[in-house]
């Protein structure tokens, strides 16, 4: 539908990982936050960089973090990531779920996603886990 964006819903236990740490991972590994309506080879408004916040504290922390990134000029350009209230989340079709696990040798995965997986493992080894959390499952207790 018009206006929808591709997103991942992240459920986390703040006793195990802080929202601030998730923001560090998001901005360090997941995407180029300076790109407008683009991520890697994918173009269009559905590929915009956007954080969907669930409460006023996440809103405050996310805005402060983006302001800090902009002030430090760490990316060499302004942060284009939008920060908006979370609305309804619509899971992608089944063939999109666990795509890396289903198609580990796909060129798109090798070129666009595996470098991010390796960056996560290298930059955030404390939060790296070899076994992925697959669609419909949570990492709680793992």
């Amino acid at each position: 539908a018009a206006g929808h964006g591709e997103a991942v819903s992240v459920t986390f236990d703040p006793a195990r990982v802080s929202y601030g740490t998730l923001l560090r991972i998001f901005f360090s590994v997941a995407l180029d936050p300076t790109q407008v309506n683009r991520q890697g080879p994918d173009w269009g408004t559905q590929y915009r960089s956007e954080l969907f916040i669930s409460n006023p504290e996440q809103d405050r922390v996310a805005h402060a973090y983006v302001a800090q990134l902009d002030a430090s000029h760490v990316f060499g350009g302004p942060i284009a990531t939008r920060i908006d209230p979370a609305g309804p989340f619509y899971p992608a079709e089944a063939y999109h779920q666990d795509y890396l696990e289903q198609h580990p040798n796909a060129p798109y995965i090798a070129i666009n996603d595996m470098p991010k997986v390796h960056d996560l493992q290298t930059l955030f080894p404390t939060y790296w886990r070899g076994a992925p959390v697959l669609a419909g499952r949570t990492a709680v207790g793992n």
Side-chain angles (χ1 to χ4, degrees):
H4 287 197
E6 289 197 359
V8 174
S9 178
V10 176
T11 303
F12 67 101
D13 178 354
R16 295 180 71 181
V17 61
S18 71
Y19 184 65
T21 296
L22 292 176
L23 290 175
R24 285 181 31 234
I25 292 169
F26 177 77
F27 284 102
S28 299
V29 175
L31 65 130
D32 178 345
T34 66
Q35 293 183 333
V36 177
N37 296 333
R38 177 180 176 205
Q39 289 306 316
D42 301 314
W43 293 78
T45 59
Q46 70 271 33
Y47 300 110
R48 64 190 176 270
S49 175
E50 188 166 15
L51 289 170
F52 295 102
I53 49 97
S54 299
N55 59 53
E57 179 65 7
Q58 286 182 1
D59 184 61
R60 183 191 67 75
V61 172
H63 276 94
Y65 192 82
V66 168
Q68 182 181 14
L69 290 175
D70 269 335
S72 69
H73 305 290
V74 70
F75 286 101
I79 302 299
T81 303
R82 294 169 35 176
I83 301 169
D84 292 307
F89 181 79
Y90 304 101
E93 298 85 358
Y95 69 90
H96 285 295
Q97 302 296 333
D98 305 321
Y99 194 83
L100 185 145
E101 289 296 305
Q102 301 295 329
H103 308 280
N105 299 316
Y108 186 95
I109 294 294
I111 294 167
N112 298 292
D113 295 332
M114 289 314 295
K116 294 175 185 182
V117 171
H118 293 299
D119 286 348
L120 174 64
Q121 186 177 14
T122 302
L123 297 172
F124 299 95
T126 303
Y127 299 102
W128 165 256
R129 53 181 285 171
V133 176
L134 301 176
R137 301 182 202 166
T138 65
V140 176
N142 293 336

